[in-house]
Amino acid sequence: MIVEQVWTGNAYRNFNYLIACPETGDALAIDPLDYGKCLDAARENGWNITQILNTHEHGDHTGGNKAMVRATGAKVIAHQNAGGRIPNMDRGVGAGDVVKVGKTVELECLDTPGHTMSHICVLSHTDQPALFSGDTLFNAGAGNCHNGGHPHELYETFESQLEKLPDDTLIYPGHDYLINNLRFTLDREPDNATAAGMIEQYESQDPNDALVTTLAMEREMNTFFRLDSPSVIARLVEQFPEMGDSPSRKDVFLKLRELRNSW
Ligand SMILES: [Zn+2]
């Protein structure tokens, strides 16, 4: 499996992806909003884009579909319940479904509601797994729930699926929000030395050559994976005494999600 992360450079800071089979040159484009850049990248590598996968129905993820289909004839894949909101879907997928790319690449679909209720992440069947996490999981952060999502479901997705993935899973999110998210981590957990060190190291990184984190790194500096951190809890309890002395993981997650909205 070859992964090409395409930085759009737009105001929403979207990342698009091409996933290619090295044997056949077939490629799948994830959320190819900047279809021009995706097509250029495919051409440079000698790849043939045969499929488009939308992680969810928001326009900054589906907006390139039409032009990409016109240019390549690629089939559009998305969550089985997204049909009404993504025009001209060719294949609806659910939890456990596998999307093949060429001969060698298998991507397993995870049903990951929360950011929207028809959001999928895909996990590669490779020695070192890679998670294409759309707007569910960002580097150092979690998706919002403003446009068709629900925080309770987002918590369930984190708790029952993302938390259980192996530490060496590579994380490929739908947007570059790394630095802002790390600042939020520090706001919630001022003694998080990993987050502080990463801001220093990556603040001026070139998004064309962005850091790819692993789940092990996320567990250290993503506040939404740090629900048991004594310093996260202590600060919440001090600010919101109504949470009680030992709030549940779910209550911590929901409060963090709420605070991130107005931060
Ligand atoms: Zn979205």
Side-chain angles (χ1 to χ4, degrees):
M1 179 177 81
I2 307 172
V3 176
E4 175 104 5
Q5 185 175 51
V6 178
W7 165 241
T8 62
N10 68 359
Y12 302 109
R13 307 189 67 81
N14 290 82
F15 280 132
N16 302 168
Y17 296 93
L18 295 180
I19 301 174
C21 168
E23 271 188 37
T24 66
D26 288 311
L28 173 144
I30 295 187
D31 296 338
L33 175 68
D34 195 331
Y35 54 88
K37 279 191 183 163
C38 291
L39 288 167
D40 285 348
R43 200 175 304 120
E44 278 162 27
N45 286 290
W47 298 338
N48 209 356
I49 298 174
T50 53
Q51 301 176 88
I52 295 166
L53 185 139
N54 290 138
T55 56
H56 63 293
E57 68 272 31
H58 287 158
D60 61 317
H61 295 257
T62 61
N65 286 9
K66 202 171 167 187
M68 180 64 89
V69 169
R70 199 182 298 132
T72 63
K75 300 292 180 204
V76 176
I77 304 167
H79 192 287
Q80 55 197 3
N81 297 338
R85 282 153 287 152
I86 299 180
N88 303 316
M89 241 173 77
D90 295 292
R91 178 180 174 193
V93 288
D97 286 346
V98 171
V99 173
K100 291 191 172 180
V101 186
K103 275 190 197 160
T104 60
V105 180
E106 289 191 350
L107 303 170
E108 180 183 335
C109 300
L110 311 182
D111 189 346
T112 52
H115 175 67
T116 74
M117 296 310 285
S118 40
H119 189 297
I120 53 169
C121 295
V122 291
L123 183 68
S124 66
H125 287 171
T126 39
D127 290 341
Q128 181 175 16
L131 182 75
F132 297 87
S133 58
D135 287 3
T136 296
L137 168 63
F138 296 125
N139 297 131
N144 69 48
C145 305
H146 301 321
N147 298 297
H150 293 290
H152 290 253
E153 275 77 3
L154 189 65
Y155 167 74
E156 281 304 326
T157 289
F158 268 69
E159 196 73 349
S160 65
Q161 300 190 68
L162 304 185
E163 281 277 7
K164 293 182 176 149
L165 295 175
D167 270 343
D168 65 345
T169 306
L170 297 165
I171 306 300
Y172 291 104
H175 296 263
D176 172 30
Y177 296 152
L178 174 68
I179 298 300
N180 273 349
N181 284 340
L182 287 170
R183 290 194 207 287
F184 180 68
T185 294
L186 277 188
D187 177 67
R188 292 291 95 210
E189 194 180 10
D191 59 348
N192 189 315
T194 305
M198 285 181 71
I199 290 175
E200 217 165 277
Q201 195 174 352
Y202 296 105
E203 199 167 17
S204 48
Q205 76 166 346
D206 177 1
N208 286 298
D209 185 24
L211 167 74
V212 177
T213 66
T214 62
L215 204 57
M217 292 167 74
E218 297 294 334
R219 292 190 212 281
E220 281 185 41
M221 52 65 177
N222 186 329
T223 199
F224 294 94
F225 282 119
R226 298 185 58 73
L227 310 179
D228 296 324
S229 153
S231 107
V232 168
I233 294 170
R235 189 154 152 75
L236 282 180
V237 166
E238 187 192 319
Q239 279 180 293
F240 307 97
E242 68 275 15
M243 291 182 79
D245 285 342
S246 49
S248 68
R249 288 172 59 81
K250 183 171 183 174
D251 286 346
V252 172
F253 185 98
L254 294 176
K255 184 55 90 177
L256 291 170
R257 185 54 269 171
E258 182 191 321
L259 289 169
R260 185 67 178 83
N261 291 338
S262 53
W263 187 75

